[in-house]
Amino acid sequence: MTESQNNTKSQPQMTVQMDRKKRLARSFKRNILSNWELYLMYVPGFLCLLVFSYAPLYGLQLAFKQYAPALGIWGSPWVGWENFQYAVLSRGFLHMVGNTLMLGLLKIIFAFPSSIILALMMNELTCRPFKKVVQTFSYLPYFISWVIVSSIANMFLTRDGGILNQIIVAFGGEKIFWYAEPKYWRAILTISNIWKNTGWGTIVFLAALTGINQDLYEAAQCDGAGYWKRCLHITIPGIMPAIAMTFILSVAGIVKDDFDQIYALVGESSILNDTTEVLGTWIYKQLHGGSFRAWGDGTAVGLVQSLAGFLLIVISNWLVSKTDNQGLW
């Protein structure tokens, strides 16, 4: 077959593809014109995403540079991996990584299931007014800042006059100086995180529970299935897509510490560093020192955290897909 014959056969195919692209473009244009109000509602969210999520990516090059304000980010001298090496070789850095991972794992083990359990409990409430009250009170702590939570925690943990110490003394025990005992603070941070965020985390699971066909419960009850069997074979599988999605996103938080929580409750107390010093507090202290070199060091550590979080999302999404559940992609 000659080259001219090949060109003759390919021309109709190219014409069909071009017509298809034109039809898609016209359809897309008509869709935008007919639903312009809906697309207009996307604009604020898109601008926020652009300004606060994508625009700051320009500053990631600080991780490989020694920042000089007079030269700007682009003009600052390139130092390669020097900032990463400085961070890793810093005193106690690996210990801070261990604290970050430990607190993240505690959140996955205890905080993540607590939202599911609370959602299942609230779903069993038959009195709607009482259910609304329970939901409201469980959501309220989420809207309280960590600064206020630290004041509440201080009421419980103060050595003289603290509620916990009063209870301990009432049962014949001795007062505990909570703010000088590092061994208790992993539990304190985990419990305060559960109290503040569990109620808000139930929203996704309660929404998933409403989508379960109620006929399944009636059929199971007619077959003699008790509450636990109905929960195990109907409720849990019904909300499994929401559990899988939330789990994938939560796993990424293992390497991302809650700096605002830790700094509000602990502050800059060096006594508790053994269990509360994490990567976020290290970055803050580096920047708080006033040296512009710390900008590169902090950016390097933040970049590593982000890449590790992305890697964990990919791995957890792969694991979830292997269990026949739908992942993020």
Side-chain angles (χ1 to χ4, degrees):
M1 187 178 292
T2 63
E3 184 177 351
S4 60
Q5 290 175 333
N6 286 331
N7 292 335
T8 304
K9 284 191 173 183
S10 63
Q11 284 179 357
Q13 296 178 355
M14 294 176 61
T15 304
V16 171
Q17 291 178 356
M18 291 177 64
D19 291 340
R20 184 172 179 272
K21 289 181 180 179
K22 289 180 179 179
R23 287 196 301 270
L24 290 174
R26 285 196 297 266
S27 176
F28 179 69
K29 187 176 181 180
R30 285 196 301 269
N31 187 23
I32 292 179
L33 292 176
S34 59
N35 300 290
W36 66 270
E37 300 95 339
L38 298 177
Y39 284 101
L40 187 63
M41 295 174 64
Y42 281 118
V43 173
F46 176 76
L47 290 177
C48 288
L49 188 67
L50 184 66
V51 172
F52 296 106
S53 297
Y54 289 101
L57 293 177
Y58 173 77
L60 287 180
Q61 56 185 305
L62 283 175
F64 306 94
K65 293 187 174 185
Q66 185 175 349
Y67 180 60
L71 300 175
I73 296 177
W74 185 261
S76 297
W78 181 272
V79 295
W81 299 99
E82 184 177 322
N83 292 327
F84 295 90
Q85 293 173 355
Y86 172 79
V88 172
L89 297 177
S90 295
R91 182 179 179 183
F93 182 80
L94 294 180
H95 182 71
M96 287 182 285
V97 172
N99 284 339
T100 303
L101 296 177
M102 179 60 69
L103 292 173
L105 287 173
L106 288 174
K107 284 194 298 183
I108 292 291
I109 295 172
F110 296 104
F112 176 72
S114 63
S115 295
I116 302 174
I117 294 171
L118 183 59
L120 294 175
M121 293 172 64
M122 287 195 292
N123 188 56
E124 294 301 316
L125 297 176
T126 56
C127 180
R128 291 184 63 86
F130 180 68
K131 183 177 180 179
K132 295 294 183 183
V133 171
V134 172
Q135 285 180 302
T136 302
F137 276 97
S138 65
Y139 297 161
L140 281 178
Y142 180 80
F143 298 98
I144 301 176
S145 69
W146 281 113
V147 177
I148 304 301
V149 174
S150 67
S151 299
I152 298 173
N154 188 63
M155 294 171 55
F156 282 85
L157 302 176
T158 303
R159 183 178 182 180
D160 298 321
I163 296 175
L164 285 182
N165 277 332
Q166 290 182 23
I167 295 174
I168 292 173
V169 171
F171 282 92
E174 296 182 357
K175 294 180 180 179
I176 299 175
F177 194 2
W178 301 97
Y179 287 97
E181 295 288 347
K183 61 183 179 181
Y184 297 114
W185 276 87
R186 284 176 180 163
I188 293 172
L189 293 173
T190 303
I191 292 171
S192 60
N193 184 280
I194 291 173
W195 175 79
K196 190 175 187 298
N197 297 316
T198 295
W200 185 257
T202 60
I203 294 178
V204 176
F205 303 114
L206 287 173
L209 286 167
T210 59
I212 299 176
N213 190 350
Q214 297 301 312
D215 294 339
L216 296 175
Y217 291 105
E218 295 176 5
Q221 197 167 5
C222 291
D223 291 338
Y227 168 76
W228 292 109
K229 286 188 176 181
R230 295 198 301 271
C231 181
L232 183 62
H233 297 287
I234 299 176
T235 306
I236 299 298
I239 65 173
M240 188 56 69
I243 294 176
M245 197 75 66
T246 310
F247 174 76
I248 293 172
L249 297 176
S250 299
V251 166
I254 293 178
V255 294
K256 190 179 186 311
D257 51 80
D258 292 325
F259 168 77
D260 48 352
Q261 175 198 14
I262 296 173
Y263 191 75
L265 269 67
V266 178
E268 298 186 12
S269 175
S270 59
I271 301 175
L272 304 176
N273 281 352
D274 190 41
T275 55
T276 62
E277 185 80 345
V278 293
L279 294 176
T281 57
W282 181 86
I283 294 173
Y284 173 79
K285 290 177 180 179
Q286 292 293 312
L287 297 176
H288 196 60
S291 173
F292 288 111
R293 176 193 173 86
W295 291 40
D297 302 331
T299 305
V301 175
L303 179 59
V304 172
Q305 281 184 287
S306 300
L307 292 176
F310 175 74
L311 181 62
L312 287 175
I313 287 181
V314 172
I315 294 174
S316 58
N317 186 80
W318 177 76
L319 291 174
V320 167
S321 63
K322 289 297 182 181
T323 61
D324 294 330
N325 288 295
Q326 184 178 0
L328 292 176
W329 60 83

